[in-house]
Structure formats: structure tokens, C-alpha cells
Amino acid sequence: MFIRSHLARLTTSSRQRSLFSTMTKLSDYPMTLTERPPISNLTPPGVCQFTPTWSEVPLLERIPCGTGGTSFILRFGLPDTTKPMGLTTCACLLAAAELENQGNGETMDVIRPYTPISTNNEVGCFDLLVKDYGENGWLSTYMCQDLPIGGTVKFKHIDFNVKIPAPFTHKKIGMIAGGTGITPMIQALHAILGKGEESQQSKTEEVSLLYGSRSADDILGGEMLQKWADDNGDKFKYVDVLSNEPEDSSYKGERGFIDKEKIQKYLPPASDGEDVIIFVCGPPIMYELLCGPRNEPEVTGILGEMGYSSSQVFKF
């Protein structure tokens, strides 16, 4: 297990303080999830401010969200504060911080992938939606609990982190997400539901999202996703599936796990052929049960049994 080895370096010079002040003014994209509209502002691969070389940028804001007290919007600065990040949809970043191994006392870079939930309309900064997993979180816990405002984290972007590019050509998209696997889906939904240039519009006519969480407190971005579903009822359907929600809670939605019955009920069928694609992102056990390991192109598991082909399933 890793713990914080030291506080990240605080910006103390007048130039750095000025930079921080400038960053916070460059974007008025709201920190409140329910106030965030979907926005389609696509860029091709190769123009992201983050490159294969690590760049340190500061944490600008940390805002709690959701109901469990463990989820946060983390707003970070960019190397060039006068420009948007220029990240392709769908793509992720790699983040790293030097943390201490509690077992042997040695420090090392802990590296994890994160998919921003902001768009290229946001100038000078970008937003991550991060869950604090406590002792099992390592980097996420450090960023949510210990990293001070103004402290820095390293980020980089490599070609491998570009997944499936938008705009999308499929008329029907089904999404299956678990835990923090929701963030690539949010990025894709920006491209599908957001207004933007005509040349950037996806051909998607309907999109359905099955989002698996343990309890209502574990849902990431639920209030934003529900608002998008309410505003796009003819195009976007959002369904939570909770496995460990107390029976006496006020929750009225689907319970248990994402299974064949729920996929048949909510997602487009394999029989729709080339018009359909299913996005999957979540923990390893989700891949194993639903579609087969992420690094294997063959579709097995429940989706394989239901007749979905490798061209109809994309594993994030």
C-alpha cells in the first residue's frame, strides 16, 4: 500500500502565484455537475498539450460531488494557460505522483490512467472526476485528500491512450460502465449529445447507458447524467444498476448486476448489425463476465453468448 511521502510542492514565487490566478479565470465551465451541459468540441489526435514527456501542472480546485462524500471534481491547470487541452475524444491521460511504499519505505512513481470529463471548450484547465478509494486508492486518495491546492501532479499523453475516435458513425450505441469506468462514457456522451460544428456531429440516433455501482453513494456523476437524460429523453437513456444498495433505501431503480436480462431490456440488439456498437469500461471482473479480457479482441462472456461480434463491442 502506498501513502503520501510528502506534500506536493506549493507554488510560492510571484510568477507561479500569477499563473494560478490567471488559470482560475480562464474557464467559466461550472464546477457543479448539474450545471454542466454536454459540449461537442472535437480535435484530431496529435494536438494535445500533454505529450509523451511528463509535465507538472497544479491542482486549482477540488469540489466534493455526489452523496457519498468520496467523489470529487479535480480541476488542474494546463502547461499553456491560454489554450484548451486539445485532447481527442475518446482518450485518456496518464497521471503520476511520487508516493511512499508503506511496506519498505521506498518512494516510487505511482501511475494511473484518468479520462477527463471536461471538453476542449475549457481553456487553461481540465477536470477529472475522481473517487477516493481510501487505503486501496493510492494515487486517487492522494489527489482527493493530501494534494494541496497549488500542489502539482505529473501528466502525459501517449498515442496508445487514444481509444475510439469521435464523431461516431453508429446509429445505436450501448454503454456498459462500472465504477470509474463511467468517465470515458461521459467523454463520449459529450460528443454524442453536445451541440457543435455540423462536421463534428455523430450519426448516433440513440444511446443507452447501464452503469453498475455498489450503492447510490458510489455513483459518479449521476446527477449530471440524469440531467442529460432528462434533457435528451428521445436520444439518451440512463440506467443505474446497484448491487449492494440497502433494501430499505428510497432507490427505485435496477438492482443486482448488469446481466443478460438488463442488456436485452435496455441496449440495442446484436441483430441490428453495423448500426450497433457496445462500449464497455469497468473493473477486470466486468470484462471477464460480459465480453472477455480487455486486451483480447474476441468477444466472449454474456455479450458473446448474445451474438455480439468483435466489431460490435469496444473494450476501453
Side-chain angles (χ1 to χ4, degrees):
M1 182 180 70
F2 296 89
I3 61 174
R4 171 173 56 92
S5 61
H6 55 80
L7 289 179
R9 290 187 294 276
L10 293 173
T11 56
T12 55
S13 70
S14 59
R15 185 189 70 81
Q16 288 172 315
R17 286 194 297 270
S18 174
L19 177 63
F20 177 81
S21 176
T22 302
M23 284 179 176
T24 60
K25 296 176 182 177
L26 282 175
S27 178
D28 58 3
Y29 196 54
M31 295 293 284
T32 304
L33 289 178
T34 52
E35 297 176 2
R36 290 177 171 235
I39 298 172
S40 180
N41 188 345
L42 307 179
T43 60
V47 298
C48 182
Q49 286 202 42
F50 292 108
T51 69
T53 301
W54 291 109
S55 297
E56 288 192 20
V57 293
L59 175 67
L60 303 180
E61 296 183 76
R62 176 169 42 228
I63 304 297
C65 58
T67 60
T70 59
S71 301
F72 298 85
I73 300 173
L74 305 180
R75 176 164 289 178
F76 286 92
L78 286 169
D80 185 341
T81 63
T82 67
K83 298 178 180 179
M85 178 163 52
L87 186 67
T88 301
T89 302
C90 297
C92 68
L93 303 173
L94 294 176
E98 190 177 76
L99 304 179
E100 183 179 317
N101 187 322
Q102 193 175 24
N104 58 25
E106 295 180 356
T107 60
M108 63 177 291
D109 273 344
V110 179
I111 303 172
R112 295 289 184 271
Y114 289 95
T115 301
I117 63 165
S118 50
T119 73
N120 290 311
N121 271 33
E122 194 163 343
V123 176
C125 54
F126 68 98
D127 299 341
L128 301 181
L129 180 58
V130 179
K131 182 173 177 60
D132 178 2
Y133 284 100
E135 293 183 354
N136 296 321
W138 300 353
L139 183 56
S140 64
T141 298
Y142 171 69
M143 293 195 297
C144 291
Q145 293 187 22
D146 296 331
L147 179 65
I149 300 299
T152 58
V153 170
K154 295 184 293 186
F155 289 92
K156 71 177 180 179
H157 177 59
I158 58 177
D159 291 343
F160 177 78
N161 294 141
V162 177
K163 305 304 180 182
I164 183 170
F168 306 114
T169 59
H170 301 85
K171 292 182 179 180
K172 300 178 182 180
I173 296 180
M175 297 178 169
I176 302 175
T180 56
I182 192 63
T183 55
M185 307 305 174
I186 291 174
Q187 197 180 78
L189 286 167
H190 273 295
I192 297 169
L193 303 176
K195 291 182 172 58
E197 296 180 10
E198 185 64 30
S199 62
Q200 296 189 355
Q201 295 301 299
S202 294
K203 296 181 180 180
T204 308
E205 298 173 355
E206 61 181 70
V207 55
S208 303
L209 167 62
L210 286 173
Y211 181 24
S213 305
R214 288 179 54 82
S215 69
D217 288 343
D218 291 317
I219 297 172
L220 282 171
E223 56 267 64
M224 179 176 67
L225 292 167
Q226 189 57 59
K227 178 71 163 53
W228 290 3
D230 292 342
D231 292 344
N232 298 272
D234 58 337
K235 189 171 185 177
F236 175 42
K237 179 175 291 185
Y238 166 52
V239 180
D240 284 308
V241 182
L242 304 184
S243 60
N244 291 84
E245 180 69 7
E247 291 296 332
D248 59 354
S249 78
S250 60
Y251 176 71
K252 303 299 183 183
E254 295 282 0
R255 292 177 179 266
F257 295 93
I258 298 174
D259 52 21
K260 181 178 180 180
E261 179 184 3
K262 295 180 184 66
I263 293 171
Q264 286 179 327
K265 183 177 180 180
Y266 295 108
L267 301 191
S271 58
D272 284 347
E274 295 180 355
D275 287 339
V276 170
I277 193 166
I278 308 295
F279 294 163
V280 181
C281 189
I285 187 63
M286 174 174 279
Y287 290 102
E288 292 176 17
L289 293 175
L290 294 179
C291 59
R294 182 172 55 181
N295 59 350
E296 295 181 4
E298 181 184 4
V299 177
T300 56
I302 293 174
L303 291 177
E305 295 170 0
M306 295 177 69
Y308 293 93
S309 67
S310 58
S311 65
Q312 292 178 308
V313 177
F314 186 87
K315 307 175 186 181
F316 280 85

